[in-house]
Amino acid sequence: MFTFYLHYEYWFAAVQLILAMLGMGATLTLKDFRDVLVEPKAVSTGLLIQLVAIPLVTFLLIQGLDLHPGVAVGFAIIAAVPGGTVSNIFTHFSFGNTALSISLTGVTTLACLVTTPFILELLIAPYMPEDFSMPAARVALEIGAFLLLPLFVGMLFLRVFPVHADTFSRYCIRGCLLVILLIVIGSLGAGRLDFQAFGIINILLVAGLIGVFALLSRPFCRLLNLPHADLTAIEMEVVVRNINLGFLIKASLFPVVVGQSDPIGDMVLFTLLVFGGLELATGALIVWLHRRQKAMQAGAGSNAE
């Protein structure tokens, strides 16, 4: 069973991404992209943070910390992928600007066709073999085939079958989560995930990366006097990233060879899994804090009356 997983790890990664993007697409309309023109300052700020500030800060962290090569490459992949669709849900429950969150997710997802290979090439080169050449064209092709095409198919499904789109999206997301679970089980069973080798220090470093991301959006948004709802949306977009795409990139750059160990590739996968779990926990914490703040403000308003 686990040998089967190793033979087809790349396709497990591809299927979970396709399902995730079908599910995302079934919640998007062209209007969500037109909102970019309605709120240009907020969208431009979110894009600046996502496409410039996040890679730059990650580069500085990689340079300044004594990271295992696999963890460093994992950090690079995390910085290179766009925001994930779950950020839209978290933004909604945090009383943030959901329309802005959806617009940012859509635009950065389209932009990653170009930005992801470029950012990866800048950040991972020191940790790859000397003869390594970034397969930018292949990565872009995979993003187009497994990320953008399913996104458009999902949007088409919403347009043609609007009544069934919500159910379709839910089942796609559930299917995606199931495949990710199979990836975890397959990797564990094949001995690819070594908790002892990864260590608590690396878990804390990944948690620190999320903390830096969470704090990064605040000074930019306050400097530009963006409303709190916009700040919340941008904050969620920065923290909750498309780790689904990260899994595919890992499988593409570090293909599993049955019978051969790959300590760097295994550490990359572990880093992505840890970040994926912690980003959801962090998003839930941000939701709780915002809802608590809203409830306290409502209570203060009632007392004042």
Side-chain angles (χ1 to χ4, degrees):
M1 173 184 175
F2 299 122
T3 302
F4 175 84
Y5 166 75
L6 293 177
H7 276 296
Y8 295 100
E9 183 190 56
Y10 176 86
W11 292 107
F12 275 85
V15 168
Q16 61 82 30
L17 178 60
I18 290 170
L19 289 172
M21 300 316 296
L22 284 171
M24 179 193 292
T27 67
L28 291 174
T29 66
L30 291 178
K31 177 182 176 299
D32 296 321
F33 294 93
R34 289 199 300 268
D35 286 340
V36 173
L37 302 177
V38 178
E39 302 181 89
K41 184 166 76 169
V43 172
S44 298
T45 302
L47 290 176
L48 178 67
I49 295 171
Q50 285 273 50
L51 303 180
V52 178
I54 288 293
L56 177 59
V57 168
T58 304
F59 171 78
L60 294 175
L61 289 173
I62 291 174
Q63 294 297 312
L65 299 172
D66 185 22
L67 298 177
H68 183 283
V71 177
V73 174
F75 274 28
I77 292 175
I78 290 165
V81 299
T85 183
V86 181
S87 63
N88 310 148
I89 300 171
F90 282 149
T91 298
H92 171 73
F93 285 117
S94 299
F95 306 107
N97 187 339
T98 306
L100 173 61
S101 177
I102 293 172
S103 294
L104 283 172
T105 300
V107 173
T108 54
T109 298
L110 293 177
C112 77
L113 181 68
V114 175
T115 60
T116 295
F118 177 72
I119 294 170
L120 280 175
E121 187 166 15
L122 289 177
L123 295 183
I124 71 173
Y127 302 95
M128 305 300 285
E130 291 185 4
D131 59 348
F132 173 79
S133 176
M134 179 66 195
R138 191 183 76 209
V139 172
L141 179 62
E142 290 170 337
I143 290 173
F146 301 135
L147 186 142
L148 296 183
L149 181 59
L151 180 74
F152 294 142
V153 171
M155 293 176 66
L156 181 62
F157 188 95
L158 173 59
R159 184 175 180 84
V160 177
F161 305 106
V163 176
H164 304 290
D166 185 58
T167 301
F168 175 76
S169 178
R170 284 202 309 271
Y171 277 104
C172 285
I173 297 301
R174 290 172 184 174
C176 168
L177 294 175
L178 175 61
V179 179
I180 291 176
L181 178 61
L182 293 176
I183 290 175
V184 173
I185 293 172
S187 298
L188 281 170
R192 296 290 188 183
L193 298 181
D194 188 335
F195 289 88
Q196 187 172 1
F198 194 77
I200 188 66
I201 297 299
N202 284 324
I203 292 176
L204 293 175
L205 287 171
V206 175
L209 181 67
I210 293 179
V212 171
F213 285 1
L215 295 173
L216 192 59
S217 56
R218 292 184 175 271
F220 285 92
C221 293
R222 287 174 177 167
L223 181 65
L224 296 172
N225 294 318
L226 292 181
H228 188 266
D230 290 357
L231 186 154
T232 301
I234 293 172
E235 182 179 47
M236 284 296 186
E237 282 297 302
V238 168
V239 170
V240 183
R241 311 187 71 72
N242 194 337
I243 296 301
N244 305 88
L245 175 58
F247 291 144
L248 179 68
I249 293 173
K250 180 272 164 192
S252 180
L253 295 180
F254 300 92
V256 173
V257 178
V258 178
Q260 294 184 16
S261 64
D262 183 8
I264 294 181
D266 294 346
M267 291 290 275
V268 172
L269 177 60
F270 213 135
T271 302
L272 295 176
L273 288 170
V274 171
F275 187 94
L278 290 179
E279 73 173 5
L280 295 179
T282 303
L285 176 62
I286 294 173
V287 169
W288 179 78
L289 290 173
H290 281 286
R291 295 183 74 86
R292 184 169 178 269
Q293 182 182 21
K294 193 78 171 180
M296 291 174 64
Q297 291 173 346
S302 300
N303 293 332
E305 293 176 1

